[in-house]
Amino acid sequence: YFVQDKSGIFQFEDSIVTQEQEHQQKEIYVETSQGERYKVQVEVADDEDERTQGLMNRDELGGNHGMLFLFENDSLSGFWMKDVIFDLDMIFANGEHEIIYIEHSAQPCEESPCTIYNPGTPYRYVLEVNGGWVQERDIEVGDTLNLGEITSGS
């Protein structure tokens, strides 16, 4: 389809999915014990199909963008990087939104078997952001996710 830019010129837009994904994005914050607050635009994966697809087969992830995986109950399932082509930081949080584990710069995996990332303790939320994002902001275990209007299973 075509979209008209600010100068009135029509440009071909080849990705309807991108427009739909942007429409579904929500704002959340990562809040540190030092009082810092970092905004992240997230796509929400709150059902089995969305959680299974995750960020597979994406070309990129914007600088302050991510995917938030929601679970209705505590989970012990692992995450993998199958068909993800860029490093990701995985931030695992419990039902009280407290960060309980961080996997720094999980590596892409092109073919099985892939490394399984798991905090080894129950979690309710996982925020995936670009690799290095967590370290650049000094985010640590014990910091919190402020999900605003987002609730488990929403």
Side-chain angles (χ1 to χ4, degrees):
Y1 68 100
F2 290 89
V3 294
Q4 189 173 14
D5 69 13
K6 293 178 184 176
S7 63
I9 298 172
F10 284 92
Q11 301 285 333
F12 178 73
E13 180 65 61
D14 64 348
S15 180
I16 295 172
V17 173
T18 300
Q19 182 183 30
E20 291 172 354
Q21 290 167 346
E22 287 176 0
H23 180 70
Q24 295 173 7
Q25 288 190 351
K26 309 258 184 187
E27 254 179 36
I28 69 167
Y29 293 88
V30 179
E31 298 174 344
T32 71
S33 57
Q34 291 82 29
E36 299 293 331
R37 192 170 194 240
Y38 300 102
K39 180 170 69 171
V40 184
Q41 291 290 125
V42 297
E43 292 177 51
V44 177
D46 60 359
D47 67 35
E48 192 62 35
D49 289 341
E50 291 171 341
R51 288 190 295 259
T52 300
Q53 180 63 33
L55 291 170
M56 292 169 62
N57 302 310
R58 301 281 183 98
D59 292 329
E60 63 181 8
L61 185 61
N64 287 316
H65 288 75
M67 179 167 278
L68 179 67
F69 295 81
L70 303 179
F71 297 86
E72 289 183 26
N73 300 298
D74 288 349
S75 178
L76 291 169
S77 299
F79 277 64
W80 68 349
M81 296 286 290
K82 180 82 169 116
D83 296 327
V84 177
I85 62 171
F86 42 88
D87 297 1
L88 290 174
D89 288 344
M90 298 178 186
I91 303 169
F92 292 81
N94 63 21
E96 288 76 43
H97 306 157
E98 180 184 351
I99 296 172
I100 57 170
Y101 179 78
I102 300 170
E103 184 65 48
H104 295 275
S105 294
Q107 298 297 303
C109 177
E110 294 180 14
E111 56 186 63
S112 296
C114 296
T115 300
I116 303 297
Y117 300 98
N118 189 320
T121 187
Y123 61 88
R124 184 79 54 97
Y125 308 97
V126 179
L127 173 60
E128 291 184 342
V129 292
N130 281 307
W133 191 91
V134 167
Q135 186 172 5
E136 290 169 9
R137 289 156 183 81
D138 292 323
I139 294 165
E140 302 173 338
V141 169
D143 293 344
T144 58
L145 299 181
N146 180 336
L147 304 183
E149 65 193 49
I150 301 171
T151 59
S152 282
S154 66

